[in-house]
Amino acid sequence: MKILITGGAGFIGSNFIRYIFKKHPDYKIINFDKLTYAGNLENLKDVEDNPDYKFVKGDICDKKIVDEVISEKPDAIINFAAESHVDRSISDPHSFLKTDMQGVITLLEIAKKYNIKRFIQISTDEVYGSINETSCAEKHPLNPSNPYSASKAAADLMVHSYFVTYKMPVLTVRSSNNFGPYQYPEKIIPLFITNLLEDKKVPLYGDGLNIRDWLYVLDNCEAIDLILDKGKEGEVYNVGGGNEKTNLEITRLILREMGKDESYIDYVEDRLGHDRRYSLDSSKIKETLGWQPKYNFEQSLKKTIQWYRNNEWWWKKIKSGEYLEYYKKQYETGYKTQKRIS
Ligand code: NAD
Ligand code: TDX
């Protein structure tokens, strides 16, 4: 099996590539990534010499290069590429609409041209919007409420339209909040861990009582691999970890594990339009494909903290801006980079 993975230099994509090579040593992978501020080839140092792995630098919005790479006729395309950080979408919505929506249409059009047999869109629980009670199954109406989730929801509708209109073999995966190694230190868990390792405070938004459902990244990788193999065309699959926690609970767990007290919490101004709670009903993937999350939340959080302790070389370069300087020299192409880490 030859898979084209877009956005494979980011957090989930790089974990997925490593997972696939371990699970299916006979698979071939093309990793197509624009290397934005969030794309980091250092996430994949251990696979770069694998003869079955190839990296191609490019933008999913660029028809010419997307055509070149899809003309290699992969058996499947999995689209992880996205602008992924909600706070950035609030200050710069345009880049989100471009990559997260238009980029997907470009991929769909060219995948249609080459008659690609499987197209998996990596979506998110955020497309259902905030829900105070109960959980959202796949048929729940989409109700996104920030520019990031609105762009992802637009892409989901477009993917569905290609199934209905062109009978394209598309599938959509909506997962809850992932955590684990190689997550860019702008998202709450790696930001808080690395701040505490630097003996800095952690900025908790609002009252800290917003709820997210946490999923260890390797459980998500297993779900995506299963959907690639056995998922039904045209279907959407929710993938939730079943670990709903307030941000304050997450913060306290991290503080405790790192031997810090609550004086390290800095209650800061709330995120604009901050969704209160996401909650997925993942019965469908459990009942139809037999998936279950395997990783215990608290143990995986401890393992993740340990990973950031052991891999200062990775995140210190990112936080200091040294990594961006390095990659700008290596991959000078004129596109803009962004950096807003506190
Ligand atoms: P990330 O920001 O760590 O990585 C995104 C990757 O996409 C980077 O390597 C970046 O360089 C690349 N990219 C961005 N724009 C591109 C473009 N125009 N062309 C080609 N490559 C481009 O994101 P992540 O956390 O790994 O998320 C991966 C996917 O999973 C995204 O689609 C996101 O919406 C979705 N998702 C993430 C989470 C989560 O908790 N992280 C949860 C649910 C869904
Ligand atoms: O500094 C912070 N302080 C804080 O209180 C940050 C960065 C976040 N938060 C809060 C906001 C959210 O309620 O923590 C929660 C999690 O925030 P993020 O880590 O930014 O994730 P979220 O906004 O929930 O979105 C994530 O999950 C769904 C990913 O970034 C998305 O790509 C994915 O689709």
Side-chain angles (χ1 to χ4, degrees):
M1 162 101 86
K2 181 161 83 179
I3 317 176
L4 171 62
I5 290 179
T6 58
F11 162 51
I12 305 178
S14 62
N15 275 285
F16 185 73
I17 291 173
R18 189 171 297 103
Y19 174 90
I20 286 291
F21 278 136
K22 211 168 157 193
K23 175 103 187 281
H24 309 284
D26 54 323
Y27 280 21
K28 295 184 189 320
I29 292 178
I30 306 171
N31 175 13
F32 180 84
D33 196 296
K34 178 174 169 179
L35 297 181
T36 65
Y37 76 94
N40 186 344
L41 290 178
E42 293 195 335
N43 298 1
L44 288 161
K45 265 188 178 310
D46 49 335
V47 305
E48 67 191 11
D49 295 330
N50 184 329
D52 292 328
Y53 169 78
K54 177 165 98 167
F55 173 70
V56 179
K57 183 179 183 305
D59 186 332
I60 58 166
C61 302
D62 179 340
K63 288 183 191 156
K64 189 165 169 287
I65 185 155
V66 171
D67 193 302
E68 264 168 47
V69 76
I70 298 186
S71 72
E72 293 190 35
K73 296 277 245 168
D75 301 294
I77 297 176
I78 309 180
N79 178 36
F80 291 91
E83 287 293 341
S84 68
H85 192 43
V86 173
D87 292 327
R88 289 177 190 258
S89 84
I90 293 166
S91 51
D92 174 22
H94 288 285
S95 59
F96 282 74
L97 196 64
K98 192 154 184 275
T99 290
D100 298 8
M101 210 270 268
Q102 289 177 12
V104 178
I105 301 172
T106 305
L107 290 173
L108 285 166
E109 267 302 289
I110 299 171
K112 173 159 72 71
K113 171 177 165 189
Y114 288 101
N115 197 19
I116 299 301
K117 297 290 181 237
R118 218 143 170 82
F119 184 102
I120 299 185
Q121 168 64 6
I122 302 299
S123 181
T124 168
D125 60 357
E126 296 206 15
V127 298
Y128 299 117
S130 193
I131 178 162
N132 290 335
E133 284 162 16
T134 72
S135 302
C136 303
E138 289 79 356
K139 297 269 187 242
H140 195 276
L142 302 190
N143 185 28
S145 42
N146 60 61
Y148 162 72
S149 53
S151 314
K152 294 291 287 187
D156 283 15
L157 295 176
M158 201 49 87
V159 167
H160 177 67
S161 81
Y162 272 65
F163 175 69
V164 176
T165 310
Y166 308 110
K167 311 282 176 270
M168 259 185 75
V170 294
L171 299 97
T172 301
V173 184
R174 295 186 183 137
S175 85
S176 59
N177 283 55
N178 283 222
F179 69 103
Y182 299 104
Q183 186 167 30
Y184 195 86
E186 64 185 350
K187 309 284 163 59
I188 189 170
I189 288 183
L191 177 68
F192 283 17
I193 296 171
T194 56
N195 273 14
L196 293 172
L197 288 172
E198 293 178 312
D199 203 36
K200 289 185 191 155
K201 289 190 171 193
V202 297
L204 190 58
Y205 296 163
D207 60 7
L209 298 182
N210 300 65
I211 294 173
R212 297 292 182 268
D213 172 10
W214 292 96
L215 173 69
Y216 189 58
V217 64
L218 291 181
D219 275 326
N220 193 19
C221 292
E222 186 176 353
I224 297 167
D225 184 34
L226 199 60
I227 291 165
L228 173 66
D229 186 29
K230 297 199 171 73
K232 195 168 157 216
E233 289 175 10
E235 297 285 316
V236 175
Y237 292 92
N238 285 346
V239 183
N243 299 297
E244 288 189 30
K245 309 265 180 226
T246 64
N247 294 331
L248 182 58
E249 285 175 297
I250 294 288
T251 306
R252 285 185 170 144
L253 283 169
I254 297 174
L255 287 171
R256 197 178 63 203
E257 182 60 23
M258 298 187 69
K260 305 277 191 192
D261 62 35
E262 296 207 8
S263 67
Y264 278 85
I265 301 181
D266 189 7
Y267 284 92
V268 298
E269 201 181 320
D270 209 354
R271 174 183 279 175
L272 295 178
H274 196 174
D275 282 338
R276 196 65 172 167
R277 172 175 174 263
Y278 299 134
S279 181
L280 285 180
D281 175 343
S282 306
S283 316
K284 178 173 169 180
I285 187 170
K286 291 178 178 164
E287 284 160 17
T288 62
L289 303 184
W291 176 84
Q292 281 289 347
K294 287 191 180 129
Y295 291 88
N296 168 277
F297 174 74
E298 295 204 6
Q299 280 168 13
S300 305
L301 184 63
K302 283 186 187 172
K303 227 167 44 185
T304 302
I305 293 171
Q306 197 53 43
W307 187 87
Y308 284 90
R309 272 193 212 286
N310 295 344
N311 290 280
E312 289 200 349
W313 69 272
W314 182 84
W315 60 265
K316 280 213 157 152
K317 264 194 236 178
I318 295 174
K319 277 192 140 178
S320 69
E322 191 192 327
Y323 174 71
L324 268 185
E325 286 308 314
Y326 160 82
Y327 106 91
K328 266 194 284 187
K329 274 189 220 113
Q330 299 263 315
Y331 302 101
E332 203 80 79
T333 56
Y335 59 80
K336 284 195 186 131
T337 56
Q338 316 168 44
K339 184 165 176 294
R340 274 168 244 158
I341 306 171
S342 69

